[in-house]
């Protein structure tokens, strides 16, 4: 049985170059190629018959001639020289190669040396190196180690020849990463080459024989042959059917045919036919069927998959494996206003899209990624209603009835009652935020989707409540958020459960209202001082024991100490004075002056600072007795006088 690899033959870049040459060729008006257009002598010979002349040097190209640049690209000075000669230049450089040119130029401008993994002297590598101030080329591991001996401490930017063998490239990258601290690695292996090599490796592992078709001068064909030879016991490398050796092939054997990126379809067809005729197998698809797949015309509304080959400001180019070129306008990539093309689409990426319009005359197909994504995303949202899977969206709009979230590019309405905000609260706090929500209703006919943030918040709250009541104990500390005030205290959310901090537990000092100490939304550390599991009530404390002013007083002052105090209140029997914030002492009326007085205000004023002597401390009742008289006369009031 023989399998024809799906990715055998022309890649996008080669097919593009050959088509450009064929479309512009004219026997009576020669088109010159600056070097072999691609690495395949059969194609070069066919093009020569059409009027495409291969020039090995620029001197062979007449002034004012039409010139096509090869798929591998050329050094920039060659293009400048051609323009100086008055030539009309058609640039058929492969988009993948052109991307490497841009990287090399930009990295060189930054003062970085550019390390190229590739075959020295290969036209593509020559073109890349010509765009670098300091090009370093490594074809073998020995080359790389020699370069790193000198350049490992310098800033290096690493690119790879598009057709370089991926396994070797990965090995080289690991060496660079382990050796250099400031290396910048760029993935520049052609996606088509990568897929071709991966497919060939998979086929080689399960095959008895393989045939690789390509020109000996083709680097990617040689890499493909080496890869197949490493995994398959018998591999032939041929340029065409005339070089095939079919000796020993039997119906029972498993084999496959693949071809390098520069191999035309007709040669692959000839090789495949000769092999299938030899072993008389009908189990594989015919070459005509496989070729027809690549040449078929797509139709509006079809779902297609392609590989991104180029990106510009207005659209991206996609290789669909058909004769027309596909493109997606940037406006058809996504409905998400935050979507950034550079962050989501890269050359080599595989994308799915809908065919919007086909123009066979001009040879292009317009695609839309966002329309296909929309269909998929509607299906995802419909499934989420049944599965109750949480979705994530950005709040992008608001109205009187609620807010609108963008979920997978689809507008989801969230009623005010389902936002999780208090009634009459402003929606501004939700705007431009990312929220988790549940999809509760999807109506595809009316294009209406309804969601709820509150549903998930309630579920999370119930789970948190259950967890807290399983573990909570008196004395445990929690990080909470102030939810609301009352005249007698504060409600604090400790992770799904609200607890009450009584106003007396807010501060060791006097508090007129909770807002004097805390604010709504403030994060606070609280501790449990009482529990009532049956009524689901929790009493919390906020003031800290170490901040208790009485503790500070006891550790600082003693009887007979003199303190400077502030008069804060008058009573008929004396005056209260603040010793420390939160700690007051009593100056009995008999201890205010060195004479008998009728009222404290005969001598003192509210707010007045005076020195007083501590004449008594009752730790149990937390009371302090002070005396001004003791400082004036050297003695306290007589017991009889104090009693009166």
């Amino acid at each position: 049985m023989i399998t024809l690899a799906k990715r055998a033959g022309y890649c996008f870049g080669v097919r593009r170059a050959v088509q450009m040459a064929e479309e512009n060729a004219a026997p009576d008006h020669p088109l010159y190629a600056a070097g072999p257009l691609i690495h395949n002598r059969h194609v070069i010979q066919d093009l020569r018959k059409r009027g495409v002349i291969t020039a090995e040097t620029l001197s062979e190209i007449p002034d004012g001639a039409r010139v096509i640049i090869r798929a591998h690209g050329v050094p920039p000075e060659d293009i400048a020289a051609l323009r100086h000669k008055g030539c009309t230049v058609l640039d058929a450089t492969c988009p993948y190669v052109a991307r490497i040119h841009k990287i090399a130029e930009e990295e060189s401008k930054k003062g970085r040396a550019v390390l190229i993994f590739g075959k020295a002297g290969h036209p593509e590598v020559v073109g890349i190196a010509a765009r670098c101030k300091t090009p370093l080329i490594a074809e073998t591991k020995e080359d790389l180690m020699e370069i790193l001996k000198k350049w490992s401490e310098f800033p290096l930017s690493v690119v790879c020849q598009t057709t370089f063998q991926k396994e070797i490239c990965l090995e080289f990258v690991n060496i660079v990463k382990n050796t250099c601290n400031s290396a910048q690695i760029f993935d520049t292996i052609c996606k088509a080459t990568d897929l071709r090599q991966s497919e060939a490796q998979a086929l080689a592992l399960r095959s008895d024989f393989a045939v690789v078709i390509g020109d000996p001068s083709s680097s990617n064909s040689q890499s493909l042959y080496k890869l197949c030879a490493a995994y398959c016991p018998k591999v032939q490398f041929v340029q065409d059917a005339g070089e095939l050796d079919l000796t020993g092939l039997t119906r029972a054997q498993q084999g496959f045919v693949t071809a390098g990126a520069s191999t035309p379809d007709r040669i692959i067809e000839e090789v495949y036919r000769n092999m299938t005729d030899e072993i008389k197998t009908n189990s594989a698809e015919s070459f005509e069927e496989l070729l027809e797949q690549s040449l078929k015309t797509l139709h509006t509304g079809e779902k297609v998959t392609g590989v991104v080959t180029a990106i510009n400001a207005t659209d991206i180019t996609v290789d669909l494996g058909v004769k027309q070129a596909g493109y997606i306008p940037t406006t058809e990539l996504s409905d998400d206003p935050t979507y950034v093309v550079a962050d989501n689409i890269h050359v080599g990426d595989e994308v799915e899209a809908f065919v919007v319009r086909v123009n066979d005359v001009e040879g292009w197909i317009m695609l839309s990624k966002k329309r296909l994504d929309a269909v998929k995303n509607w299906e995802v949202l419909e499934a989420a209603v049944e599965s109750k899977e949480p979705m994530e969206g950005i709040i992008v709009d608001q109205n009187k009835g609620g807010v609108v979230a963008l979920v997978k590019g689809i507008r989801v309405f969230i009623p005010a009652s389902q936002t999780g905000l208090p009634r009459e609260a402003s929606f501004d706090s939700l705007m431009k935020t990312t929220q988790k929500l549940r999809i509760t209703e999807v109506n595809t006919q009316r294009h209406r989707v309804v969601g709820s943030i509150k549903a998930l918040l309630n579920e999370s709250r119930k789970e948190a409540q259950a967890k807290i009541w399983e573990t909570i104990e008196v004395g445990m500390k929690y990080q909470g958020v102030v939810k609301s005030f009352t005249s007698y205290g504060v409600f604090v959310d400790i992770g799904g459960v609200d607890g009450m901090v009584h106003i007396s537990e807010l501060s060791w000092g006097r508090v007129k209202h909770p807002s004097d100490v805390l604010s709504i939304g403030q994060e606070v550390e609280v501790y449990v001082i009482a529990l009532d599991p049956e009524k689901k009530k929790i009493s919390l404390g906020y003031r800290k024991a170490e901040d208790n002013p009485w503790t500070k007083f006891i550790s600082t002052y003693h009887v007979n100490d003199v303190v400077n105090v502030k008069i804060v209140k008058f009573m008929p029997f004396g005056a209260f004075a603040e010793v420390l914030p939160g700690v007051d002492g009593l100056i009995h009326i008999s201890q205010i002056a060195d004479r008998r007085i009728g009222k404290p205000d005969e001598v003192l004023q509210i707010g007045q600072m005076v020195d007083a002597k501590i004449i008594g401390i009752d730790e149990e009742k937390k009371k302090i007795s002070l005396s001004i008289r003791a400082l004036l006369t050297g003695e306290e009031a007589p017991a009889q006088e104090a009693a009166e």
Side-chain angles (χ1 to χ4, degrees):
M1 176 179 175
I2 299 176
T3 300
L4 179 60
K6 293 180 180 179
R7 303 188 183 279
Y10 281 168
C11 66
F12 167 76
V14 169
R15 190 180 298 278
R16 173 174 171 269
V18 173
Q19 286 179 346
M20 285 181 66
E22 290 175 345
E23 291 169 0
N24 289 277
D28 57 344
H29 190 189
L31 175 65
Y32 288 84
L37 189 69
I38 65 172
H39 280 156
N40 190 285
R41 64 180 179 84
H42 293 284
V43 176
I44 300 303
Q45 290 171 0
D46 289 345
L47 290 174
R48 182 70 177 84
K49 295 174 183 177
R50 293 170 177 255
V52 181
I53 302 171
T54 300
E56 296 295 340
T57 64
L58 298 187
S59 61
E60 299 175 27
I61 300 175
D63 292 353
R66 296 184 307 143
V67 183
I68 185 168
I69 302 301
R70 63 197 305 169
H72 295 110
V74 298
E77 53 267 27
D78 286 4
I79 296 177
L82 289 170
R83 296 192 188 283
H84 184 70
K85 289 163 67 78
C87 296
T88 300
V89 178
L90 303 174
D91 192 355
T93 303
C94 171
Y96 285 97
V97 177
R99 174 174 174 259
I100 305 177
H101 289 172
K102 184 178 180 181
I103 292 172
E105 290 172 348
E106 291 177 349
E107 294 303 297
S108 289
K109 288 178 181 177
K110 296 176 184 177
R112 302 174 68 90
V114 179
L115 174 57
I116 307 167
F117 297 158
K119 186 175 182 180
H122 187 281
E124 180 184 324
V125 175
V126 171
I128 298 169
R131 288 166 169 82
C132 309
K133 294 179 181 178
T134 311
L136 308 169
I137 303 171
E139 181 179 354
T140 65
K141 187 175 180 180
E142 290 72 22
D143 295 338
L144 179 60
M145 299 310 294
E146 282 298 318
I147 289 171
L148 294 180
K149 284 180 183 179
K150 180 180 178 182
W151 292 90
S152 61
E153 300 300 322
F154 290 83
L156 292 177
S157 295
V158 181
V159 298
C160 184
Q161 184 180 339
T162 56
T163 54
F164 204 60
Q165 193 168 329
K166 186 174 183 179
E167 288 185 353
I168 299 176
C169 178
L170 292 175
E171 180 187 2
F172 284 10
V173 166
N174 286 331
I175 293 173
V176 171
K177 286 183 177 179
N178 293 329
T179 307
C180 305
N181 295 324
S182 58
Q184 178 72 41
I185 312 293
F186 293 90
D187 182 6
T188 58
I189 287 185
C190 170
K191 187 69 173 179
T193 298
D194 185 12
L195 294 173
R196 186 196 313 274
Q197 292 179 352
S198 297
E199 180 189 31
Q201 180 177 334
L203 290 170
L205 285 168
R206 61 175 186 263
S207 298
D208 302 307
F209 65 91
V211 173
V212 178
I213 312 169
D215 194 287
S217 63
S218 170
S219 176
N220 79 87
S221 298
Q222 291 286 357
S223 295
L224 194 61
Y225 168 72
K226 292 176 183 177
L227 178 68
C228 292
Y231 297 99
C232 184
K234 184 178 180 181
V235 183
Q236 291 186 55
F237 184 85
V238 301
Q239 294 187 71
D240 51 41
E243 296 182 359
L244 267 177
D245 179 5
L246 303 178
T247 305
L249 296 187
T250 66
R251 186 189 300 269
Q253 291 178 315
Q254 178 75 41
F256 73 97
V257 176
T258 187
S262 299
T263 307
D265 297 334
R266 62 178 180 79
I267 293 180
I268 301 174
E269 177 185 6
E270 187 179 4
V271 170
Y272 182 76
R273 277 181 177 163
N274 283 12
M275 294 180 70
T276 52
D277 288 346
E278 179 67 20
I279 62 174
K280 306 297 183 183
T281 180
N282 297 314
S283 56
E285 292 180 276
S286 71
F287 182 84
E288 290 85 350
E289 291 172 337
L290 294 169
L291 183 60
E292 184 181 350
Q293 290 178 12
S294 67
L295 298 179
K296 71 176 182 178
T297 297
L298 298 174
H299 302 284
T300 300
E302 280 191 64
K303 174 184 169 183
V304 295
T305 301
V307 177
V308 176
T309 58
I311 301 173
N312 58 49
T314 58
D315 56 58
I316 67 170
T317 305
V318 181
D319 178 12
L320 299 171
V322 297
K323 61 184 180 181
Q324 302 100 327
Y327 78 95
I328 306 176
T330 52
T331 54
E332 291 295 321
L333 287 172
S334 175
D335 273 330
D336 186 347
T338 64
Y339 187 89
V340 178
V341 177
D343 294 341
N344 293 277
I345 300 291
H346 309 89
V347 171
D349 286 353
E350 196 169 75
V351 295
E352 289 184 315
F354 269 142
V355 176
V356 177
R357 192 177 307 129
V358 179
N359 189 322
D360 285 323
V361 177
E362 297 183 13
W364 52 258
I365 300 174
M366 179 180 169
L367 307 169
S368 173
K369 180 177 180 296
K370 72 177 184 182
R371 299 187 196 185
L372 178 61
D373 290 344
V375 172
K376 290 182 178 179
N377 292 337
W378 275 93
E379 294 172 354
V380 170
L381 296 190
E382 284 184 313
V385 175
E386 298 297 326
S387 67
K388 298 187 182 300
E389 178 186 356
M391 306 299 288
E392 197 172 81
I394 300 175
I395 309 300
V396 296
D397 199 2
Q398 62 174 294
N399 53 48
K400 291 182 179 180
V403 297
V404 176
L406 204 61
V407 180
K408 294 186 173 296
I410 298 173
R411 292 172 67 86
V412 177
F413 177 66
I414 303 170
S417 62
Q418 298 301 313
T419 60
L421 296 176
R423 187 175 298 177
E424 305 301 329
S426 171
F427 299 137
D428 291 346
S429 61
L430 288 177
M431 294 306 297
K432 307 302 180 184
T433 64
T434 299
Q435 298 288 331
K436 286 190 175 181
L437 55 104
R438 171 152 295 147
I439 304 300
T440 57
E441 178 189 337
V442 175
N443 188 322
T444 53
Q445 291 182 337
R446 296 178 59 191
H447 274 69
R448 173 182 168 84
V449 185
V450 180
S452 171
I453 297 173
K454 184 179 179 179
L456 290 181
L457 291 177
N458 288 343
E459 290 177 10
S460 299
R461 191 173 182 83
K462 288 180 181 178
E463 291 175 3
Q465 287 175 351
K467 187 174 181 180
I468 285 179
W469 281 109
E470 286 175 3
T471 58
I472 194 168
E473 294 179 358
V474 172
M476 291 183 68
K477 294 182 179 180
Y478 291 93
Q479 285 295 127
V481 177
V482 176
K483 293 289 291 297
S484 61
F485 294 143
T486 68
S487 60
Y488 51 85
V490 179
F491 283 102
V492 176
D493 181 351
I494 57 174
V497 178
D498 287 350
M500 162 64 77
V501 182
H502 192 271
I503 194 168
S504 63
E505 292 294 330
L506 287 174
S507 173
W508 293 102
R510 300 179 184 85
V511 178
K512 292 182 179 180
H513 190 271
S515 60
D516 295 339
V517 180
L518 301 175
S519 57
I520 300 297
Q522 181 180 343
E523 292 187 4
V524 292
E525 183 180 74
V526 292
Y527 53 91
V528 180
I529 58 177
L531 290 171
D532 187 341
E534 292 184 3
K535 295 182 179 180
K536 299 294 183 184
K537 290 185 177 181
I538 303 172
S539 295
L540 301 172
Y542 176 69
R543 64 184 187 180
K544 295 177 173 56
E546 57 268 26
D547 295 333
N548 188 338
W550 180 259
T551 303
K552 291 183 179 180
F553 172 78
I554 291 298
S555 63
T556 306
Y557 298 103
H558 306 87
V559 174
N560 294 324
D561 285 351
V562 176
V563 291
N564 189 247
V565 298
K566 179 181 179 181
I567 306 301
V568 294
K569 187 177 182 180
F570 291 144
M571 298 295 287
F573 52 84
F576 283 98
E578 183 183 72
V579 181
L580 290 174
V583 179
D584 293 346
L586 173 64
I587 309 174
H588 191 272
I589 194 168
S590 64
Q591 300 293 339
I592 292 176
D594 56 359
R595 66 185 187 281
R596 187 181 294 272
I597 60 174
K599 294 180 181 180
D601 59 4
E602 292 178 13
V603 177
L604 301 174
Q605 296 178 358
I606 298 296
Q608 182 180 353
M609 300 296 298
V610 297
D611 287 337
K613 182 178 181 180
I614 300 174
I615 58 174
I617 299 175
D618 186 336
E619 292 191 27
E620 184 177 347
K621 295 181 179 180
K622 297 182 179 178
K623 291 184 177 181
I624 305 168
S625 297
L626 302 171
S627 174
I628 300 173
R629 175 174 176 167
L631 297 178
L632 297 174
T633 65
E635 58 182 24
E636 302 170 17
Q640 180 64 32
E641 185 178 333
E644 293 175 0

